[in-house]
Amino acid sequence: MHVSTDPPVRLTRFAHGGGCACKIPPGELEDVLAGLTPARPAPGDTPLLVGTATGDDAAVVTLPAGAAARAVVATADFFTPVVDDPYDWGRIAAANALSDVYAMGGRPVVAVNLLAWPRDVLPFELAREVLRGGLDIDTEAGCHVGGGHSVDDPEPKYGMAVTGLADPDRLLRNDTGRPGLPLSLTKPLGLGVLNNRHKATGERFEQAVATMVTLNRDASAAALAAGAVCATDVTGFGLLGHLHKLARASGVTAVVDTAAVPYLDGARQAVRDGYVSGGTRRNLEWVAPFTDFGSADAGTRLLLADAQTSGGLLVAGEVPGAPVVGELVPKGAHSVVLK
């Protein structure tokens, strides 16, 4: 049951951006993080398997010697409202936070809420709906919710810090791609432009909501079952941004068959009508020096750079039911080539 208000509250009006399009631009973020990678592992008996060096989806540490052969996966993700319905926003934010664990080949175990709320502006009954949405998604994922942290903030934000477990010998990493592997994409693109249209007009796109609240659990399990070792999820940096990071980390070039990439209904029309976020344009500007765009038109380029929220997995390998959108080849002049 959704809480109704009279008149309805447009949550997206309280946000300067929306969803993962609010991320700090990738180029600026890399400049900030430059030099912050530890020169040597920190002392202790929990080695860091995956850290900041490759820009992967989550941090992974092994458990102490003598423990079962498991690795701990840790991540956090939160953002401003991407839709106006508070329950849906909660579901989307939770699915998006859990996605980083699935993108590493892990299983989420426990999560804590991260909530920023303008307590003197928006009623707490809306915040309760946001939290209820997050709880319902984590329940579906079999992940405990163990409380969290909240702050009084002029702009509403919500997400989760998630801890999961994985087999350290069967991780999905972004630096393990190799030439000859196909590239599979488990969700269609276009979430960013449809969310931006929703923010501007109030139009509701059920296909976008249904895509964003779908867990990447089954896709992760299918990738592992197929023997995949390389994957990432497609979120705020768009397909091109995340593919560039994967190709760079793996020392390969990614070739994309633009005709094979799936899009949500209405996505191309939203681009034609001008509903492109600043985050998407910054993504395209960032990847341009590393990308051979071939004959791809301006609309296709924007959709391939579209800032996704709770997008699918990009897997180096074939995933049953997911379209193959390209392949990895030996490293060339560009990290990404469009065909």
Side-chain angles (χ1 to χ4, degrees), residues 10 12-13 84 194-203 275:
R10 297 265 342 260
T12 55
R13 294 283 173 86
D84 289 322
L194 291 180
N195 287 339
N196 211 36
R197 185 166 199 150
H198 169 71
K199 180 176 171 27
T201 68
E203 297 173 78
Y275 295 104

Side-chain angles (χ1 to χ4, degrees), residues 91-120:
R91 292 197 296 158
I92 292 165
N96 184 74
L98 294 171
S99 180
D100 282 339
V101 176
Y102 294 130
M104 301 302 303
R107 175 178 63 87
V109 176
V110 63
V112 291
N113 291 302
L114 304 172
L115 178 69
W117 201 257
R119 51 186 293 276
D120 293 329

Side-chain angles (χ1 to χ4, degrees), residues 108 154 184:
S184 300

Side-chain angles (χ1 to χ4, degrees), residues 2 79 83 85-98 129-138 140 158 204 206 209-210 212-215 310:
H2 293 212
F79 46 65
V83 294
D85 185 282
Y87 177 74
D88 283 345
W89 176 30
R91 292 197 296 158
I92 292 165
N96 184 74
L98 294 171
E129 285 298 285
V130 174
L131 294 170
R132 185 171 71 89
L135 178 61
D136 282 356
I137 284 294
D138 276 49
E140 179 185 342
Y158 175 65
R204 182 175 169 88
E206 298 293 346
V209 173
M212 289 185 287
V213 302
T214 298
L215 293 172
S310 194

